[in-house]
Amino acid sequence: MKAIFREGFGPFLAMFLLGLMVSVPLRAGPAGEVTVGAVYPLSGALASTAKLSRDGIEFAVDIINKRYDLALPLARSEGLPNLGGAKIRVIFGDTQGSPEVGRAETERLITGEKVVAVVGAYQSAVTATASMAAERLSVPFLNPDSTSPTLIQRGFEWFFRATPDDDIMSKNFFDFLKDLETKKGVRVRTVALVCENTLWGTDVCKFERKYAKDYGYEVVAEMLYPARSTDLSSEVQRLKAVRPDVVFMASYISDAILYTQTMQKLDFNTQAILAMDAGHVDPAYLKTVGKSGNYVFSREVFSADLGQRKPLVRLVNEMFKKRAGYDLEGTSARSFTAMFVLADAINRAASTEPAAIRKALRETYLSSDKIIMPWGGVRFDVATGQNVLGRGIIVQIQDLKYWTVWPWHLASRDVIWPMPAWTQRR
C-alpha cells in the first residue's frame, strides 16, 4: 500500500489520502536531495551539549556531500552514488529537553518535512518518546547517544542504536576497578552511587548497584537527586558522612558543574570519581570548573587521543577542530558516526522508502577501520536494533585534558590514583 501511495498516484490523490491516513508519511524532497531529521535539545539547559551533536552531524554531512580523501563511508564520492549523487540535508527539531516536545518535533519532521529517517535525541527520556513517534509512523530512528538499556527492550522495529548502553558501560567500571587491584594494587571496598532522577540516571544507578554486588563492593549510599538541581549541599554532606572509597556519578552538564563546585566548597574528598560521561565530558564542564575537574574519571566512547593509535581519528579530528574550534569528544563523535551509518544505509537501499532504509540498516556492517570510534564496528542486532560491536573506554582528566587510561592497550597515559585532596591541589 505504501509503495502505491508514494509512487503510483498523482499529487492530488496523494494529498487526499494523506488527509485520511495521517500515520503514512509522504517522502518528497527537492530533486537531488534526501532530507533527514535530527531532534536535539537545541534550547534550554542542554543547549551546549546539543551543539556538540549538531556540529558532529553537520561535519559528517559536509564530508558525505563533498569529496574527501578519508577512509570513511562515502567520503571519496560526492553525495549518495546509488541515488544519483543526491545530497543529504538535515532538518533539525528542538526538543527543548522535553519528552513531550521531542515527540511532537519528531512527528512534525516526519509528517511535515517528509524526512526519510530521524536521528537523536541525546536524553534517554526524550529518545524514548521521539522514537515512539517514529515507530508509530514507520520511519527509521537512529539513536547515536542515549544509553538507557530500556530503549532496546521495547520490541520496536524501527529503532536502532549505535552507542553501547549503560549496562555495558557500568560493567566496564567494575572491570576497571578489578584491573586496578590486580595490576596496581589499588584496593576499593565501598562505593556511593549518585544519579540524576530521569530515565537515564535511574537506569545507571540500577546497573551500577547490580554490578557492585556482583563484583563484591559495598554500596554505602545510593542517591537519586532531582535533575538540574540548584543546590546539592545536602547530597554532598551525605557523601562526607558515609566516606565512600569511590563515587559513581551520572549527571548532565549543569549538575556535574554544581557537584564539583559543591564538593570543593565543602571539602569532600574521595579516592576517585567515576562519571558516566554526559556532563563530565561536555566541553562546558572544564571551561567552567577549570582545574577543579582534574583527576575525574569518566567512561567514554571516544577520545581524541585515540588518534595516537588510529590515523583516521587524528585526521578527522584535525579537520573537525579547524572547523568547530574544539576536539571531537564523545557526543560529537557519536553523532558524526551515526550520520555516516545512516547515509551508508540510505545509499545501499538506493531508495528513500523508509522500509528499504530499515532493511539496509538491519544489514549494516561497518568494520572498525571505517569508523572513528574505538568499537569493533557497527552491526545491529535484528531483534533489538542495538549495535553489538560497541564498547567503551575510560578517560581521566589530567592537566585539563581527557586522556584514555583504560583498557590498558588503548591507554595514552597512566592513571592518577587517588585524587589529591582539595587542600593539596595547586
Side-chain angles (χ1 to χ4, degrees):
M1 179 63 188
K2 290 178 183 176
I4 294 173
F5 175 70
R6 292 185 181 107
E7 298 169 3
F9 291 82
F12 178 80
L13 182 56
M15 289 301 293
F16 173 74
L17 288 174
L18 184 63
L20 295 177
M21 303 173 62
V22 294
S23 64
V24 181
L26 176 68
R27 315 289 145 203
E33 194 173 78
V34 175
T35 54
V36 171
V39 286
Y40 284 98
L42 301 174
S43 63
L46 293 176
S48 63
T49 305
K51 183 179 183 303
L52 306 176
S53 298
R54 183 166 188 156
D55 287 348
I57 288 172
E58 292 180 339
F59 180 42
V61 170
D62 180 69
I63 293 175
I64 293 164
N65 286 346
K66 298 177 183 175
R67 189 186 301 272
Y68 291 88
D69 186 20
L70 294 169
L72 292 166
L74 304 170
R76 294 190 170 107
S77 57
E78 292 188 33
L80 305 177
N82 292 344
L83 286 171
K87 302 295 192 291
I88 295 281
R89 182 167 70 94
V90 179
I91 303 175
F92 285 88
D94 183 6
T95 70
Q96 303 172 30
S98 160
E100 292 76 20
V101 177
R103 176 192 52 76
E105 281 291 272
T106 302
E107 290 174 349
R108 178 184 68 80
L109 291 174
I110 293 173
T111 61
E113 300 290 351
K114 310 297 186 289
V115 299
V116 302
V118 180
V119 298
Y122 185 68
Q123 297 154 283
S124 292
V126 181
T127 296
T129 57
S131 59
M132 192 178 298
E135 185 78 10
R136 180 171 58 81
L137 295 169
S138 301
V139 168
F141 191 102
L142 176 55
N143 169 241
D145 43 27
S146 300
T147 53
S148 171
T150 59
L151 291 171
I152 59 167
Q153 297 169 358
R154 301 174 293 172
F156 280 14
E157 296 185 352
W158 298 84
F159 182 76
F160 298 86
R161 179 166 65 187
T163 189
D165 66 17
D166 292 328
D167 187 352
I168 297 170
M169 295 295 188
S170 296
K171 184 176 184 301
N172 284 168
F173 275 148
F174 291 93
D175 289 335
F176 172 56
L177 291 180
K178 287 300 181 186
D179 270 4
L180 278 173
E181 182 176 345
T182 301
K183 297 187 177 183
K184 297 184 180 295
V186 171
R187 190 79 173 99
V188 173
R189 292 181 174 81
T190 61
V191 302
L193 312 180
V194 180
C195 304
E196 57 94 54
N197 66 349
T198 70
L199 176 62
W200 171 63
T202 303
D203 275 353
V204 170
C205 259
K206 179 177 71 177
F207 283 101
E208 289 177 343
R209 185 192 326 123
K210 171 185 180 297
Y211 286 115
K213 180 180 180 182
D214 291 348
Y215 281 70
Y217 296 99
E218 181 187 359
V219 178
V220 294
E222 179 174 344
M223 295 186 283
L224 286 175
Y225 69 89
R228 288 177 278 183
S229 290
T230 56
D231 186 351
L232 294 166
S233 299
S234 61
E235 285 83 357
V236 175
Q237 290 287 12
R238 185 178 172 195
L239 289 175
K240 291 191 71 170
V242 296
R243 303 177 62 184
D245 292 335
V246 171
V247 178
F248 290 75
M249 299 196 67
S251 301
Y252 289 122
I253 181 60
S254 61
D255 296 329
I257 291 170
L258 185 57
Y259 258 115
T260 299
Q261 294 170 333
T262 307
M263 287 176 176
Q264 184 171 18
K265 178 182 177 181
L266 298 181
D267 193 31
F268 167 71
N269 296 291
T270 184
Q271 289 187 32
I273 292 172
L274 302 185
M276 191 60 83
D277 84 339
H280 286 90
V281 298
D282 189 307
Y285 177 70
L286 282 180
K287 283 183 181 177
T288 306
V289 304
K291 293 181 179 179
S292 300
N294 276 333
Y295 312 112
V296 169
F297 291 91
S298 178
R299 66 86 159 162
E300 255 293 11
V301 288
F302 180 85
S303 179
D305 67 342
L306 292 170
Q308 295 181 18
R309 298 177 182 271
K310 192 171 182 179
L312 177 62
V313 174
R314 178 176 52 77
L315 288 172
V316 170
N317 185 56
E318 288 174 355
M319 293 170 60
F320 180 81
K321 190 170 185 178
K322 185 176 181 180
R323 174 189 175 105
Y326 62 92
D327 287 315
L328 279 163
E329 43 67 66
T331 300
S332 51
R334 281 184 293 184
S335 59
F336 173 85
T337 300
M339 187 51 63
F340 277 100
V341 172
L342 180 58
D344 171 72
I346 296 171
N347 184 60
R348 282 187 290 105
S351 169
T352 57
E353 281 290 324
I357 296 170
R358 179 181 65 171
K359 180 175 183 294
L361 281 167
R362 285 177 168 175
E363 295 170 351
T364 291
Y365 173 65
L366 292 177
S367 56
S368 61
D369 60 331
K370 299 294 185 185
I371 59 175
I372 62 170
M373 310 304 291
W375 303 340
V378 179
R379 176 183 289 147
F380 295 109
D381 179 79
V382 173
T384 66
Q386 174 65 42
N387 174 22
V388 297
L389 300 179
R391 62 190 180 201
I393 59 174
I394 291 178
V395 298
Q396 186 178 30
I397 303 173
Q398 299 179 13
D399 303 322
L400 294 174
K401 291 184 178 179
Y402 295 88
W403 299 94
T404 303
V405 296
W406 187 89
W408 311 125
H409 72 280
L410 294 177
S412 57
R413 283 203 176 184
D414 199 4
V415 299
I416 297 177
W417 191 293
M419 301 171 68
W422 291 109
T423 55
Q424 296 172 344
R425 300 192 192 191
R426 290 178 291 178

